[in-house]
Amino acid sequence: VIRMGPDVPLLNDYKQEFFWKRFPQTVLGGPRLKLGYCAPPYVYVNQIILFLTPWVFGGVGTLLYQLHVLEDYYTAILSGGLMLMAAFVIQLMNLCTRRKTVAIERIQTLSTLTDEDEYEFASCAGSETVKFIIPGKKFIVNTVFHSLLAGLMCGLGTWYLLPNRITSLYNNIGGTVMIFVFGWVTLCIGEYSLIINTATETATFQAQDTYEITALTRPLYIFAFIAVDLAHRFVVNILALQWTNQVLHIVFLFLPFLWAVGILPPVDALFLWAMEQILEFGLGGSPMSSNIRLLVMFFLSVGVAVASYFIPSTLGGVLFMTGMGFILSLDLSQVGKIFIYCFNRHQPINELKTFSSSLGWQFGWKEVLIYAIILAMALVEAGLLHYFVGPPLLTKKPQAIVSYIIVSLLVVSWILREIQGAYILFGVFQNPLYPKEIRNVNVFMQKQRRLVNAGIVRRILINLVSPFAMIAFLSIDVVQDDLHTASFCIGFTRAFRTLWQNTEKALLEMTVIAIVRFAALNTDLLWWNSLRTGIQLLLVGVIRDRLFQFIYKIKFALTVLVTSWTEKKQRRKSTTTLIALNIAFFPVVLALIALCAILSAPLLPLFTLPVFLVGFPRPVRSWPGMVGGAACICPDSVYYLQMVPSLTAAFRTAFASGSLGLPSSGSHLLCRLQDRLMWVLVLEKGYTYCSLNIKGLELQETSCHAAEARRVDEVFEMAFEQEERAETSCVNQHFGNILTPCAALPVKLYSDARNILTGIIDSHENLRQLRDDFIKVLIWVLIQHCYSRSVSERNDDEKAAQPKEGQLEGLNVTTIKTSKKKSDTDSLNLGDLDDWSDGEDDLFDLEPSLKKIGVNLTQQQKSIRSNSASIPGSVETRSLFGDSTGDESVEKLYKAVGFGLPVVDKGQVAGSLSAGTVPMVVFSCSHSKLLSVPEEWRSGPLPSLKVYELPNPFPEDWYTYILRQLNFTKLEGKSFSILEEVTRDKSLKDLYAQLVMSCYSIIFGTDGMVPSSSYVFRTYSGTIPWSVGLDWLTEKAELLKLVLKSFRYAFKLMVDKASLGTVEDFDELVSYLEDYENDCYIGLVSDPEWQEAVLQEKPCLFSLGHDPSM
């Protein structure tokens, strides 16, 4: 809803042009007599001729009838035949035109300022003219079917509007002429929308007219009026039918107006609404959550009512209706799944636990047994009471006792339901028993314990006691004379169904019946008693529903009327005039509201002004598609997906206790927490189950949404934060508001807490600590990663085939003899560096000189280099840059510029970035291979000599401490003595030191400078600034992911240390890291892992962002 200020026009210039172009088309049924561009006159003349064609054919038939040349039915046949031929000719013209132009289509000129395409007309009967006037049908079936309907409608319409027939109804010549002329205008409108061009209807239910159902809307209502006239013609004269026919002939003239304002529903909405009303009020059911469920339940309920007619005895009828009423009131979709699992032995029984079908029960074996027991008890009670207490032994005393019990149950259950909510007595007064503090969940639940106990008592009364009391009332009321009557088949079928489907409503209806009978003890109400109990309950149910709708709509109309003046943004210059008109024409406004209530249609305020219109009747769901079919998926959707299970469980408890009032189909609920706003619609209600549609609004609210949410928060704060408002009166100050606070529900969801890190992220001390902690965090992450990988591989090996395991064991005992040489102490055997001179080639030359760096390889190293198989107990280090000449040139560039390399004198040996391969690194412990890093990570860009020259040394004590925390019994099944051997393995330590310090140099560099806050933010976001080894790191996606993870953990550790204090020892540091790993997700909101963490309900989510406005 868009709130408009006093100076904002209701329709701007573009909308006014669109309105005056579209509204006449809607009124006349499709002729486009006003276009947004110039068109030849013959375009309009052709449309007028086609519009008046049915009148011409009907006029010919009418003239022949008035001249006594043809009888009335022959007149109808003649007019219908002429219209049928004309309809086929019109459709054939369109088909021929489309076939001629299917190969070559003229490009249409599209304009963004118009709502339709601009056509270029060539001639009066050209292809563009025909396609513009007669768009044609999508399906051949509709071409034939609609043509047949057009002929039938013209023929019957001619018969309907014969002057002699009209004169016989009114005996007035002037009235006959008016009805004849304007009646044919209505018929022409219906014919044009059916055959020529379907108008854009104001009452739209489907978003897209896929099957061309909209074309049938206007002919359907015309046929309905004609059907009443035909009934009056051929049925024996009934005064009520004659009056109805006279009234409908007058209403027939106003059909174009009713179509234009959108009061009459489309065909699909009309049938769904009719089935829903019959199912709810005629058969005792409930509106359903989907069209398929509605159709299935409607025909099942009709079948039960029809079957009860053929039952030969009243006892059998009572038992049949009692049992079927209980069964149909259950959620049959879940019951069907239960039976499928019962007879399908291949499915595990444990999967029954996954069925969360209802807001009150969890379907399983226990619940099925409980339902079977309840059904058996209901059948036994109904049969015994009807046989021993019912007719012909019926006396007033037993039924009076049951009536008192029903009245008492209604009063007690109503009181228990009222005290559950925040307000009592229809939302007027605050509930003194409701907890006044909701910020602390534990305190709130403790204070609500008494209300919870009262809710349990109410649930027992509603679900168990009340249905059996009403079964007793109905069982002793059925008499033999009711058998094979409408009151028995319809009334009692509905009554026995409603007491399970809507127990509280059934209690209210039977209480009204009981009070009327008590009040009429000394009075004989013949007309009331002749209806029997079943029909009496049906009438009371309809009156109850329409009365409550009337009250709610009056409240809504008064709210719109008052706020149009009190709200400044809604106040306009015409507000005073509109309020005065509403007061002056109060009876008319009241009649419109009553009509809306009778039709169960929405009350529509035009442009949110106090100008009320009647909306078209529609199903309770208000939209045709499946639930969630039109949902807009956005980044905020994951938060609502996470909270839906917890919210559903909270709704289950709240509906059972009654704290959310009486849940009925069509009820709307609004949920609010911080920046989350959810709209909940009750779709379907049955015995111990309720179907809901939960819609979440976007978290990024606009200014209008923020203003509305702020007003909602004010209403909620007034209701639930009473301790802070001690001086507030006990009366609801927002009683006139359309929203009435019900209850506070404990729901497990995420709270959005945003903090400004100024003073933390820009502190040099904190940033220096971040740099130092990164090394420790990376060591912990790498060791945990390698350890978890080894555990996973060991589990996979245990599941593998036995011969394969034997081969692996044979490989593990293989030994290789290596000769110890001087070159084994270093991973590289370096040659002489090139001299630096001014005559050197251009460093950035595209074709550098092919000058190789001398690298000496032993024969054993060459053989090992050619062998790609991994050797147990040793690691092979490969060069990052390979042996290609292009890579050598890149290395030459690195050496000349000196990125990350120490300064050396000419002729001295320095670490090189390039080498062939290195000798084997032999582990001193055979178990060290379980923690070795992957082979492709071992050749870091940082030379081994450079590792020990960085400003931050490798923390050997932290490395040893982390290794001692590992549990090797999962891998080797041996004692913890293995840890001592692994921690003393220098080769493994050097391997981790090489990798960790190489990653450290890539992230923070080798100069030891403290990073800036912008540098930290870019690195946290995954945009690592360029450095020498960045390309090497980005090629290894898994390692890059671990490095970013370590950096984010280190950043979170920096924030926690700045907020909570320093870390005292290694145990506390490990506790922090384990908490980050298990209970947190630290990353970016845009990461897919963030959404997975939300759905997994990680206790803490941490992200870093930047506000450009600060």
Side-chain angles (χ1 to χ4, degrees):
V1 177
I2 301 176
R3 295 184 176 180
M4 298 164 292
D7 299 327
V8 179
L10 295 177
L11 294 175
N12 55 27
D13 295 337
Y14 165 70
K15 292 180 180 179
Q16 287 182 10
E17 180 184 358
F18 177 82
F19 175 79
W20 290 116
K21 184 169 52 177
R22 178 60 63 84
F23 187 71
Q25 180 183 354
T26 301
V27 172
L28 297 178
R32 287 179 278 189
L33 302 180
K34 180 177 176 57
L35 305 177
Y37 51 92
C38 296
Y42 55 77
V43 174
Y44 305 102
V45 173
N46 289 343
Q47 293 183 80
I48 295 173
I49 292 174
L50 291 174
F51 181 82
L52 298 177
T53 298
W55 199 347
V56 173
F57 295 150
V60 172
T62 302
L63 181 60
L64 294 176
Y65 171 75
Q66 293 297 119
L67 297 177
H68 303 286
V69 176
L70 295 175
E71 296 293 336
D72 53 357
Y73 47 87
Y74 287 123
T75 299
I77 294 173
L78 175 62
S79 301
L82 293 174
M83 188 63 215
L84 178 62
M85 290 187 294
F88 276 116
V89 170
I90 291 172
Q91 296 301 321
L92 287 175
M93 289 175 59
N94 178 266
L95 288 175
C96 294
T97 303
R98 283 193 292 181
R99 288 182 180 180
K100 290 181 180 179
T101 58
V102 69
I104 302 176
E105 291 286 348
R106 178 170 296 183
I107 299 177
Q108 305 292 339
T109 303
L110 299 178
S111 175
T112 57
L113 301 178
T114 58
D115 65 311
E116 297 171 347
D117 298 340
E118 292 186 7
Y119 284 79
E120 297 179 0
F121 302 101
S123 62
C124 180
S127 60
E128 292 81 7
T129 307
V130 174
K131 288 190 297 183
F132 174 78
I133 298 176
I134 311 171
K137 306 296 180 182
K138 299 178 184 178
F139 308 103
I140 299 298
V141 175
N142 286 340
T143 300
V144 178
F145 179 63
H146 291 181
S147 299
L148 293 175
L149 282 183
L152 182 62
M153 183 168 60
C154 185
L156 294 177
T158 303
W159 204 6
Y160 182 75
L161 295 175
L162 288 176
N164 289 349
R165 176 63 179 172
I166 301 174
T167 303
S168 65
L169 288 174
Y170 300 100
N171 295 322
N172 189 304
I173 301 299
T176 300
V177 173
M178 293 288 293
I179 292 176
F180 178 79
V181 173
F182 291 101
W184 268 109
V185 172
T186 303
L187 272 177
C188 291
I189 291 173
E191 293 281 2
Y192 198 97
S193 64
L194 180 63
I195 292 299
I196 311 300
N197 184 22
T198 303
T200 303
E201 298 289 353
T202 306
T204 302
F205 187 63
Q206 296 281 354
Q208 293 181 348
D209 188 18
T210 305
Y211 302 103
E212 299 175 318
I213 300 177
T214 306
L216 303 176
T217 299
R218 302 193 181 195
L220 174 68
Y221 290 102
I222 293 175
F223 279 121
F225 280 73
I226 294 174
V228 175
D229 182 71
L230 293 177
H232 183 217
R233 285 174 183 267
F234 297 106
V235 180
V236 179
N237 288 334
I238 301 176
L239 188 59
L241 188 59
Q242 181 180 352
W243 291 348
T244 303
N245 194 17
Q246 291 175 346
V247 171
L248 291 182
H249 268 78
I250 297 175
V251 176
F252 189 79
L253 311 182
F254 295 93
L255 280 180
F257 171 76
L258 298 177
W259 288 326
V261 297
I263 295 178
L264 299 179
V267 177
D268 47 357
L270 176 64
F271 280 101
L272 292 174
W273 170 81
M275 283 194 296
E276 194 174 85
Q277 296 295 309
I278 295 173
L279 178 62
E280 182 177 3
F281 300 105
L283 301 172
S286 166
M288 309 305 287
S289 58
S290 65
N291 295 338
I292 300 297
R293 291 173 65 91
L294 177 61
L295 290 172
V296 173
M297 186 57 68
F298 177 79
F299 288 111
L300 283 176
S301 302
V302 170
V304 170
V306 173
S308 64
Y309 180 85
F310 299 98
I311 298 177
S313 65
T314 55
L315 178 60
V318 169
L319 294 177
F320 176 75
M321 288 183 289
T322 302
M324 293 306 299
F326 176 79
I327 293 173
L328 293 180
S329 65
L330 300 176
D331 189 1
L332 296 182
S333 62
Q334 300 298 327
V335 174
K337 293 180 181 180
I338 292 292
F339 281 104
I340 290 175
Y341 277 92
C342 289
F343 293 103
N344 191 356
R345 298 181 180 179
H346 299 287
Q347 297 291 341
I349 297 177
N350 294 333
E351 292 190 13
L352 289 176
K353 298 179 181 180
T354 61
F355 290 142
S356 177
S357 60
S358 59
L359 295 175
W361 296 87
Q362 295 287 335
F363 252 105
W365 289 104
K366 295 181 180 179
E367 286 69 29
V368 172
L369 181 61
I370 291 175
Y371 286 143
I373 294 174
I374 293 175
L375 177 60
M377 293 175 61
L379 293 175
V380 170
E381 180 197 14
L384 292 178
L385 288 178
H386 180 75
Y387 186 79
F388 292 104
V389 184
L393 305 175
L394 177 63
T395 59
K396 294 184 177 180
K397 186 175 181 180
Q399 197 170 31
I401 295 174
V402 176
S403 299
Y404 283 118
I405 294 175
I406 290 176
V407 174
S408 302
L409 287 173
L410 176 66
V411 174
V412 173
S413 63
W414 181 81
I415 293 174
L416 294 177
R417 175 167 57 85
E418 280 291 305
I419 64 175
Q420 296 292 324
Y423 290 100
I424 59 176
L425 298 179
F426 308 102
V428 179
F429 301 100
Q430 289 184 350
N431 183 6
L433 301 178
Y434 198 81
K436 296 180 173 58
E437 176 59 37
I438 64 172
R439 296 187 181 276
N440 192 312
V441 177
N442 295 328
V443 175
F444 174 77
M445 296 302 294
Q446 290 178 358
K447 292 183 179 180
Q448 202 184 18
R449 188 170 299 173
R450 291 179 299 174
L451 298 181
V452 171
N453 296 332
I456 294 174
V457 174
R458 175 189 173 276
R459 185 177 181 182
I460 294 174
L461 293 179
I462 292 298
N463 291 339
L464 296 178
V465 180
S466 298
F468 288 97
M470 290 185 284
I471 288 175
F473 181 86
L474 294 174
S475 298
I476 62 180
D477 193 79
V478 179
V479 296
Q480 185 67 29
D481 296 338
D482 291 339
L483 199 61
H484 307 306
T485 60
S487 62
F488 180 82
C489 298
I490 298 177
F492 279 95
T493 299
R494 176 194 176 276
F496 279 104
R497 171 81 176 278
T498 306
L499 63 90
W500 300 106
Q501 192 91 38
N502 297 289
T503 305
E504 288 183 283
K505 293 180 180 179
L507 270 177
L508 178 60
E509 295 170 7
M510 290 192 184
T511 299
V512 172
I513 298 296
I515 293 175
V516 171
R517 290 183 179 181
F518 291 149
L521 288 177
N522 301 323
T523 306
D524 192 8
L525 300 176
L526 295 178
W527 66 273
W528 178 254
N529 295 331
S530 63
L531 296 176
R532 300 298 184 184
T533 304
I535 302 300
Q536 291 173 1
L537 291 171
L538 190 150
L539 291 178
V540 171
V542 174
I543 294 173
R544 169 196 54 78
D545 180 78
R546 290 336 191 227
L547 179 61
F548 280 111
Q549 286 198 37
F550 181 71
I551 294 173
Y552 295 148
K553 286 178 170 59
I554 284 182
K555 182 181 178 181
F556 171 71
L558 290 176
T559 302
V560 174
L561 191 66
V562 172
T563 55
S564 65
W565 177 261
T566 57
E567 293 289 335
K568 294 182 179 179
K569 292 184 178 181
Q570 292 183 246
R571 190 184 304 167
R572 301 180 58 85
K573 297 178 180 179
S574 60
T575 300
T576 306
T577 305
L578 292 176
I579 293 176
L581 290 175
N582 276 275
I583 296 174
F585 294 95
F586 175 72
V588 177
V589 176
L590 202 63
L592 286 176
I593 298 175
L595 181 61
C596 288
I598 292 173
L599 296 177
S600 187
L603 182 65
L604 176 64
L606 187 63
F607 296 108
T608 68
L609 298 174
V611 179
F612 300 103
L613 299 176
V614 180
F616 67 90
R618 67 200 72 186
V620 169
R621 291 183 291 114
S622 302
W623 70 92
M626 294 295 295
V627 175
C632 180
I633 304 300
C634 62
D636 301 336
S637 302
V638 65
Y639 300 103
Y640 294 107
L641 288 176
Q642 175 271 328
M643 66 183 299
V644 162
S646 179
L647 182 63
T648 303
F651 273 129
R652 181 184 298 117
T653 304
F655 281 142
S657 64
S659 59
L660 295 181
L662 181 61
S664 58
S665 300
S667 301
H668 293 266
L669 300 170
L670 190 67
C671 303
R672 174 71 173 167
L673 177 67
Q674 291 186 350
D675 55 353
R676 290 170 178 80
L677 202 62
M678 284 155 293
W679 194 272
V680 182
L681 172 62
V682 181
L683 299 176
E684 182 180 341
K685 172 70 171 60
Y687 184 64
T688 68
Y689 84 94
C690 190
S691 297
L692 303 178
N693 176 34
I694 302 176
K695 297 181 180 180
L697 303 182
E698 288 184 306
L699 303 185
Q700 298 176 354
E701 300 164 342
T702 62
S703 58
C704 295
H705 291 169
E708 294 167 354
R710 186 164 54 252
R711 186 62 180 272
V712 173
D713 291 337
E714 292 176 1
V715 176
F716 283 151
E717 289 173 1
M718 188 68 67
F720 299 117
E721 299 181 5
Q722 300 177 15
E723 287 189 352
E724 299 179 1
R725 302 173 182 268
E727 301 179 356
T728 304
S729 63
C730 61
V731 179
N732 182 10
Q733 298 183 5
H734 297 280
F735 173 70
N737 197 297
I738 202 67
L739 298 176
T740 301
C742 296
L745 304 180
V747 179
K748 186 177 181 180
L749 46 76
Y750 285 99
S751 176
D752 188 8
R754 302 184 181 185
N755 299 319
I756 300 176
L757 298 182
T758 303
I760 296 178
I761 196 174
D762 53 357
S763 170
H764 286 276
E765 181 63 29
N766 292 335
L767 294 175
R768 185 180 297 105
Q769 192 65 41
L770 167 67
R771 185 191 61 185
D772 299 340
D773 289 339
F774 172 76
I775 299 177
K776 297 180 181 180
V777 175
L778 182 58
I779 294 173
W780 184 85
V781 169
L782 289 175
I783 292 178
Q784 294 295 325
H785 173 77
C786 295
Y787 176 77
S788 301
R789 184 192 59 192
S790 298
V791 173
S792 177
E793 291 177 354
R794 176 55 59 92
N795 295 334
D796 293 340
D797 291 342
E798 292 176 356
K799 297 178 182 179
Q802 187 64 28
K804 202 170 185 179
E805 295 177 357
Q807 295 175 5
L808 292 176
E809 291 175 359
L811 182 61
N812 288 336
V813 299
T814 302
T815 58
I816 296 182
K817 298 181 180 179
T818 58
S819 58
K820 187 72 173 179
K821 296 187 178 181
K822 181 180 179 181
S823 60
D824 294 341
T825 59
D826 195 357
S827 61
L828 296 176
N829 189 1
L830 303 175
D832 296 331
L833 296 175
D834 295 335
D835 295 338
W836 175 272
S837 64
D838 295 337
E840 188 70 35
D841 295 337
D842 189 3
L843 294 175
F844 301 97
D845 192 1
L846 295 178
E847 297 181 0
S849 60
L850 304 179
K851 191 170 184 179
K852 296 183 179 180
I853 301 175
V855 179
N856 298 325
L857 299 177
T858 64
Q859 185 65 28
Q860 184 181 6
Q861 290 173 339
K862 292 179 180 179
S863 62
I864 293 174
R865 179 181 178 183
S866 62
N867 186 10
S868 61
S870 61
I871 300 176
S874 63
V875 292
E876 176 187 357
T877 305
R878 297 179 181 269
S879 172
L880 173 65
F881 303 103
D883 298 327
S884 64
T885 57
D887 292 338
E888 294 169 3
S889 64
V890 175
E891 178 200 328
K892 185 177 180 180
L893 168 63
Y894 290 161
K895 291 187 300 177
V897 179
F899 287 117
L901 296 179
V903 179
V904 294
D905 296 332
K906 180 179 178 181
Q908 297 296 323
V909 178
S912 176
L913 296 176
S914 169
T917 54
V918 297
M920 293 298 98
V921 178
V922 181
F923 294 130
S924 62
C925 176
S926 60
H927 303 288
S928 298
K929 66 180 184 301
L930 300 174
L931 297 178
S932 64
V933 298
E935 182 180 349
E936 60 272 14
W937 299 357
R938 298 170 186 170
S939 56
L942 189 67
S944 58
L945 295 178
K946 189 69 177 177
V947 170
Y948 300 98
E949 299 178 6
L950 292 174
N952 291 74
F954 181 77
E956 297 184 8
D957 53 347
W958 169 253
Y959 165 79
T960 304
Y961 177 81
I962 295 301
L963 289 182
R964 294 182 183 276
Q965 305 299 315
L966 301 179
N967 184 8
F968 273 87
T969 57
K970 294 182 180 180
L971 297 174
E972 298 294 335
K974 300 179 181 179
S975 63
F976 289 97
S977 60
I978 302 175
L979 292 175
E980 296 297 330
E981 300 178 11
V982 174
T983 53
R984 290 196 299 267
D985 193 335
K986 186 176 181 301
S987 300
L988 182 64
K989 185 195 69 174
D990 292 342
L991 198 63
Y992 274 96
Q994 173 77 14
L995 178 60
V996 170
M997 302 313 293
S998 296
C999 296
Y1000 171 83
S1001 65
I1002 294 173
I1003 299 299
F1004 292 100
T1006 59
D1007 51 6
M1009 294 182 61
V1010 177
S1012 63
S1013 57
S1014 60
Y1015 184 96
V1016 172
F1017 173 72
R1018 291 198 304 271
T1019 306
Y1020 185 96
S1021 303
T1023 309
I1024 303 175
W1026 186 87
S1027 61
V1028 175
L1030 182 60
D1031 294 337
W1032 173 85
L1033 181 61
T1034 54
E1035 291 173 356
K1036 299 161 181 59
E1038 188 176 10
L1039 179 60
L1040 176 62
K1041 184 177 179 181
L1042 294 176
V1043 171
L1044 285 176
K1045 177 181 176 180
S1046 303
F1047 185 87
R1048 291 166 179 173
Y1049 280 14
F1051 181 83
K1052 180 66 167 62
L1053 181 63
M1054 180 194 73
V1055 174
D1056 290 343
K1057 290 166 67 175
S1059 304
L1060 305 177
T1062 60
V1063 176
E1064 299 295 338
D1065 51 18
F1066 287 165
D1067 290 337
E1068 187 176 356
L1069 179 57
V1070 170
S1071 177
Y1072 270 106
L1073 296 179
E1074 290 178 349
D1075 181 64
Y1076 297 161
E1077 182 71 19
N1078 300 324
D1079 299 333
C1080 302
Y1081 177 77
I1082 303 173
L1084 298 177
V1085 178
S1086 58
D1087 293 340
E1089 292 82 1
W1090 180 280
Q1091 297 189 1
E1092 295 177 3
V1094 171
L1095 297 178
Q1096 294 172 2
E1097 296 186 347
K1098 290 275 189 178
C1100 178
L1101 303 177
F1102 181 85
S1103 180
L1104 181 65
H1106 173 63
D1107 188 359
S1109 62
M1110 298 183 62

